[in-house]
Amino acid sequence: MDRVLTLVAAPGSAALTAERVDAVRRALDHLGAEGDRPRWLAPGEACDLAFAGLAPEQAEGAARAALGDAPVDVLAQIAGPDRRKALLVADMDSTIVTSETLDDLAAHAGLRDAIAAITTRAMNGELDFAEALRERVRRLAGLPEAALAETWADTRLTPGARALVATMKAHGARCLLVSGGFRYFTGRVVDRCGFDAHVSNDVVIADGRLTGAVVEPVRDRRAKLETLVAEAGRLRLPLARTLAVGDGANDVPMLQAAGLGVAFHPRPAVAAEVRAAVRHGDLTALLYAQGYARDAFVEPEDPAP
């Protein structure tokens, strides 16, 4: 069997029943795939189905049809030694953390709705990311620097973020956080999650207040892709050994270039451009996609907010 289909249910949903797995197996058999018995990665939550004779896209389509509206994610890929990745490049906002930190920061200036509307359009690919960032920061001119700390205090990690990074690092992977957001937040996420390094933007602060300017050059979609490719080159890794995850339009190039590019709870415009997506699971779905069983996860002892 040279290919593998991974089924991952929403945590706690118990949606991945033996009956549903059997329905997927029958759907693969109907298309002439040579399938194997399921390998359970976590009872009721995740399993692998090895198969041959179908393209990954065909297997995913058959599985989704068999599952109907069950909250189960489907990821098919080539099996083999490249399945476990040696480099992770992750977006921050709405990926490693649950919110858009710039929108949360704008709330301290009474501008959440106005800024969030621009964010949504930029993440959907309707606006140039760099210009949209400059415009949003321009509107925050005069905001006290203390608002950054207040925003961070309310920022929460996405479930599974720390386990994803800790497990991959325990198996020798390098993990980078690459964000169009601000260094103030990415630095703190690095400390909470254990990322090896971070690349992000920064705001100009003078006399304890935001000036409304961004430190140039703006790190945008090109910077994310360049970081993935450069780091893989530095580590002498083929791109097949890389994993990228993000949710917005500025993540699409790196998701398309990575060996496994996963759109995490993606915006519609992103889902249309990237084959692999996690719509129901948390970030541990990326570990299941690499073949890690639940009992192999590394769970940090000190939970972060």
Side-chain angles (χ1 to χ4, degrees):
M1 304 295 171
D2 61 349
R3 297 171 188 192
V4 62
L5 179 71
T6 306
L7 307 176
V8 184
S13 70
L16 192 60
T17 62
E19 292 76 15
R20 284 183 170 137
V21 174
D22 284 342
V24 171
R25 288 183 65 193
R26 290 195 299 271
L28 296 179
D29 289 344
H30 181 72
L31 292 178
E34 180 185 348
D36 203 350
R37 295 172 58 85
R39 171 185 171 240
W40 285 93
L41 303 172
E45 186 171 337
C47 76
D48 275 349
L49 285 169
F51 69 95
L54 284 181
E57 295 85 349
Q58 290 177 295
E60 287 184 354
R64 291 194 181 101
L67 290 165
D69 59 0
V72 177
D73 291 310
V74 177
L75 300 100
Q77 58 190 310
I78 304 298
D82 287 345
R83 185 181 180 191
R84 286 198 175 179
K85 308 306 182 185
L87 173 63
L88 167 68
V89 178
D91 172 48
M92 179 180 70
D93 292 315
S94 296
T95 302
I96 296 297
V97 303
T98 61
S99 59
E100 293 287 335
T101 50
L102 179 49
D103 295 354
D104 294 344
L105 182 64
H108 292 274
L111 295 171
R112 177 189 287 278
D113 290 347
I115 297 298
I118 300 173
T119 299
T120 296
R121 294 185 65 197
M123 292 300 99
N124 283 336
E126 300 170 20
L127 300 174
D128 176 77
F129 177 84
E131 285 304 317
L133 181 66
R134 294 185 187 103
E135 173 60 24
R136 285 175 287 169
V137 173
R138 192 177 302 122
R139 297 189 183 200
L140 299 182
L143 187 68
E145 182 180 5
L148 291 164
E150 293 167 5
T151 298
W152 171 247
D154 293 330
T155 301
R156 297 291 178 263
L157 295 179
T158 299
R162 299 182 82 224
L164 170 64
V165 174
T167 303
M168 290 189 66
K169 287 185 66 175
H171 288 82
R174 181 164 171 80
C175 300
L176 301 183
L177 186 67
V178 182
S179 173
F182 301 141
R183 188 173 184 82
Y184 182 93
F185 301 115
T186 58
R188 285 157 176 77
V189 171
V190 164
D191 291 340
R192 291 286 192 182
C193 282
F195 283 95
D196 294 297
H198 58 120
V199 176
S200 55
N201 290 302
D202 213 346
V203 291
V204 179
I205 296 173
D207 299 323
R209 294 183 179 274
L210 278 66
T211 67
V214 181
V215 176
E216 299 287 348
V218 170
R219 269 57 181 262
D220 57 8
R221 59 194 287 150
R222 178 179 297 178
K224 291 187 174 189
L225 173 60
E226 289 174 349
T227 298
L228 171 73
V229 173
E231 192 65 14
R234 189 184 72 80
L235 297 172
R236 298 184 179 181
L237 292 173
L239 287 175
R241 297 289 315 282
T242 67
L243 165 62
V245 60
D247 74 300
N250 61 328
D251 299 311
V252 168
M254 75 170 183
L255 298 182
Q256 293 175 334
L260 177 60
V262 179
F264 185 73
H265 293 240
R267 300 164 193 273
V270 177
E273 296 191 63
V274 179
R275 186 176 63 80
V278 170
R279 295 178 172 85
H280 306 289
D282 64 18
L283 286 168
T284 59
L286 276 65
L287 292 173
Y288 291 132
Q290 296 176 75
Y292 289 101
R294 167 63 72 173
D295 60 12
F297 290 4
V298 177
E299 300 282 358
E301 295 181 0
D302 178 24

